[in-house]
Amino acid sequence: MDFLTSKSADVSEITNTALDSHPDARSPDKPIIIEPSQAWAAFDLRSLWTYRELVYFLMWRDLKVRYKQTFLGMAWAIMQPLLTTLIFTIFLGKLARVPSDDIPYPIFVYAGLLPWTFFANAFISSGNSVVGNAHLVSKVYFPRIIIPISAVGGRLVDFAISFSIFIGLMAYYGVAVTWNILMLPALVALVALFALAVGMWTSALNVKYRDVGVALPVLIQFWMFASPVVYPSSLVPPRWRWAYAINPLTGVIDGFRSALFGREFNWVALAVSTGITLILLAYAFYAFRRMEKDFADLI
């Protein structure tokens, strides 16, 4: 694995090494015909397990490319939510006096930025992932769904780094850890699945309609202020909260704050977020499988 430690390692060499681990991936005597199965076929976990090394290598490649030739390196994963927290604290916490449910505003907004930053980055990365890997899609065979999965998985590393700063903020503001923290892994899994669902769907659309990739940053900006990132859900008028809860990130972000600050969970909002996420995940998988047969021709 010397190529993993070499900064000059070729990306194609890493990918080809992972593909070579599959017994049928490289056969000089037997041509491979790429024919995706039916869109509603059962999710092929065995195929994903066979290509598990490729998932790892794609995640590792994305991390290397993202922080290659940067002065701060992975510190940018900390700087992004930290600087955003500082800006929102000055303009919204101090000047606009946005309420924070009796929680110090800096740690309140950082707790909201943790899932939001992960979702936004994972959504954009996975939405552009298939187009960004055109050289692989058009030349070699592997389950295409691996591409958006690895894009979301790579962002989990950034989330873990950002969360380490939050631990320090909790200690600084004297916030005690409660048993609610046990819900945090489930909430991380929920926001990751939601990011995968919307990212997988938009990645397939982006192959055919390239303006989808251009529209993603605009959508993310709007979506942020339609979610309780910089303000509490209690600020929304009661008669509109049912509509507000349709946004799956509402239950997720409120759930993060409940888990981190020991508040009562809004189980109804969490149930709505979980249900919508699972429905979107099933539809995104269907749409991706239906469109992937044309990827090599369109990309």
Side-chain angles (χ1 to χ4, degrees), residues 13-37:
E13 180 183 351
I14 295 177
T15 306
N16 291 337
T17 302
L19 288 170
D20 286 339
S21 64
H22 189 267
D24 297 327
R26 301 296 180 100
S27 176
D29 301 325
K30 182 181 178 181
I32 296 175
I33 301 175
I34 302 176
E35 291 183 351
S37 57

Side-chain angles (χ1 to χ4, degrees), residues 278-294:
L278 294 178
I279 293 173
L280 285 177
L281 189 62
Y283 173 75
F285 175 69
Y286 164 76
F288 190 92
R289 294 289 294 271
R290 186 184 63 182
M291 290 186 279
E292 70 172 332
K293 65 181 184 295
D294 298 323

Side-chain angles (χ1 to χ4, degrees), residues 2-296:
D2 293 338
F3 58 85
L4 288 178
T5 58
S6 174
K7 293 183 179 179
S8 60
D10 188 5
V11 170
S12 62
E13 180 183 351
I14 295 177
T15 306
N16 291 337
T17 302
L19 288 170
D20 286 339
S21 64
H22 189 267
D24 297 327
R26 301 296 180 100
S27 176
D29 301 325
K30 182 181 178 181
I32 296 175
I33 301 175
I34 302 176
E35 291 183 351
S37 57
Q38 296 298 321
W40 278 117
F43 192 70
D44 193 358
L45 293 177
R46 182 179 179 182
S47 178
L48 288 181
W49 176 254
T50 302
Y51 286 90
R52 63 191 181 277
E53 291 187 10
L54 180 57
V55 177
Y56 165 76
F57 284 123
L58 288 177
M59 290 172 54
W60 177 255
R61 183 205 61 177
D62 289 346
L63 287 171
K64 290 184 65 176
V65 171
R66 191 180 310 147
Y67 299 113
K68 185 178 181 180
Q69 295 180 335
T70 58
F71 181 75
L72 296 178
M74 284 195 175
W76 283 111
I78 299 174
M79 298 292 291
Q80 182 180 1
L82 200 59
L83 291 176
T84 306
T85 297
L86 178 61
I87 293 172
F88 283 144
T89 299
I90 294 174
F91 289 98
L92 297 182
K94 297 295 184 182
L95 299 180
R97 301 289 182 179
V98 174
S100 56
D101 289 345
D102 299 326
I103 301 172
Y105 191 80
I107 194 172
F108 171 86
V109 73
Y110 195 96
L113 284 171
L114 275 175
W116 168 256
T117 302
F118 165 70
F119 167 77
N121 291 335
F123 178 29
I124 292 179
S125 296
S126 58
N128 293 309
S129 60
V130 176
V131 172
N133 288 278
H135 60 292
L136 296 178
V137 173
S138 59
K139 292 182 179 179
V140 294
Y141 169 76
F142 58 93
R144 308 308 191 207
I145 199 173
I146 284 178
I147 298 178
I149 288 176
S150 62
V152 173
R155 291 296 178 175
L156 285 172
V157 178
D158 294 347
F159 174 83
I161 297 173
S162 301
F163 188 77
S164 64
I165 298 300
F166 183 80
I167 296 176
L169 289 175
M170 290 183 67
Y172 177 81
Y173 285 100
V175 178
V177 177
T178 66
W179 289 106
N180 286 10
I181 198 73
L182 297 178
M183 273 288 295
L184 194 60
L187 292 168
V188 174
L190 181 60
V191 70
L193 289 176
F194 181 59
L196 176 61
V198 292
M200 185 166 35
W201 179 51
T202 53
S203 68
L205 287 178
N206 198 19
V207 174
K208 189 173 183 180
Y209 308 105
R210 296 302 172 89
D211 45 354
V212 171
V214 179
L216 289 182
V218 179
L219 175 62
I220 284 295
Q221 291 180 359
F222 171 79
W223 206 335
M224 178 178 181
F225 292 101
S227 306
V229 178
V230 298
Y231 58 88
S233 296
S234 58
L235 202 61
V236 178
R239 62 174 180 170
W240 295 111
R241 288 180 187 173
W242 66 270
Y244 190 64
I246 295 177
N247 175 9
L249 291 176
T250 298
V252 170
I253 295 175
D254 284 344
F256 260 79
R257 291 193 174 115
S258 297
L260 296 172
F261 301 135
R263 301 297 180 93
E264 184 179 355
F265 287 101
N266 187 342
W267 295 109
V268 174
L270 277 176
V272 171
S273 298
T274 302
I276 293 177
T277 297
L278 294 178
I279 293 173
L280 285 177
L281 189 62
Y283 173 75
F285 175 69
Y286 164 76
F288 190 92
R289 294 289 294 271
R290 186 184 63 182
M291 290 186 279
E292 70 172 332
K293 65 181 184 295
D294 298 323
F295 284 175

